[in-house]
């Protein structure tokens, strides 16, 4: 619901700030920025993995959400978030 609201309210300009920075900062040109983005993702995986007691599941959930945000933003279509939510529910069941 949070991401649907943010994307709609911003007319699909907002998304994941870490993804936006990671995609625009090439590894060779800005290794310190790329490393900071990698740390942010690692921290999210770690926290979610600890909460779920399963790092692999945390990675799958994060991949689904990040992909859904990128596609929703690019296609201006919130249905990608619905699909990610359905996928997350199946994984958590």
């Amino acid at each position: 619901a949070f991401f649907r609201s943010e994307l709609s309210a911003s007319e699909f300009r907002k998304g994941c700030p870490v993804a936006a920075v990671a995609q625009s900062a090439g590894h060779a040109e800005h290794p310190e920025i790329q490393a900071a983005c990698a740390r942010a993702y690692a921290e999210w995986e770690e926290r979610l993995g600890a909460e779920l007691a399963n790092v692999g599941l945390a990675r799958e959930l994060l991949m689904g959400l990040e992909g859904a945000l990128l596609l929703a933003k690019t296609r201006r279509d919130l249905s990608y978030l619905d699909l990610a939510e359905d996928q997350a529910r199946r994984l958590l069941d």
Side-chain angles (χ1 to χ4, degrees), residues 21-81:
V21 171
Q23 290 170 3
S24 65
H27 181 69
E29 296 85 17
H30 303 284
E32 68 286 349
I33 295 173
Q34 200 68 29
C37 292
R39 282 192 307 273
Y41 281 125
E43 184 177 320
W44 292 348
E45 282 180 14
E46 207 174 286
R47 286 183 180 190
L48 188 55
E51 191 69 30
L52 298 170
N54 186 327
V55 174
L57 179 57
R59 287 179 176 176
E60 285 190 63
L61 291 170
L62 183 58
M63 288 184 325
L65 178 58
E66 286 294 327
L69 284 169
L70 177 62
L71 288 166
K73 185 176 175 180
T74 303
R75 304 283 312 271
R76 302 178 64 84
D77 182 351
L78 295 175
S79 70
Y80 289 98
L81 295 176

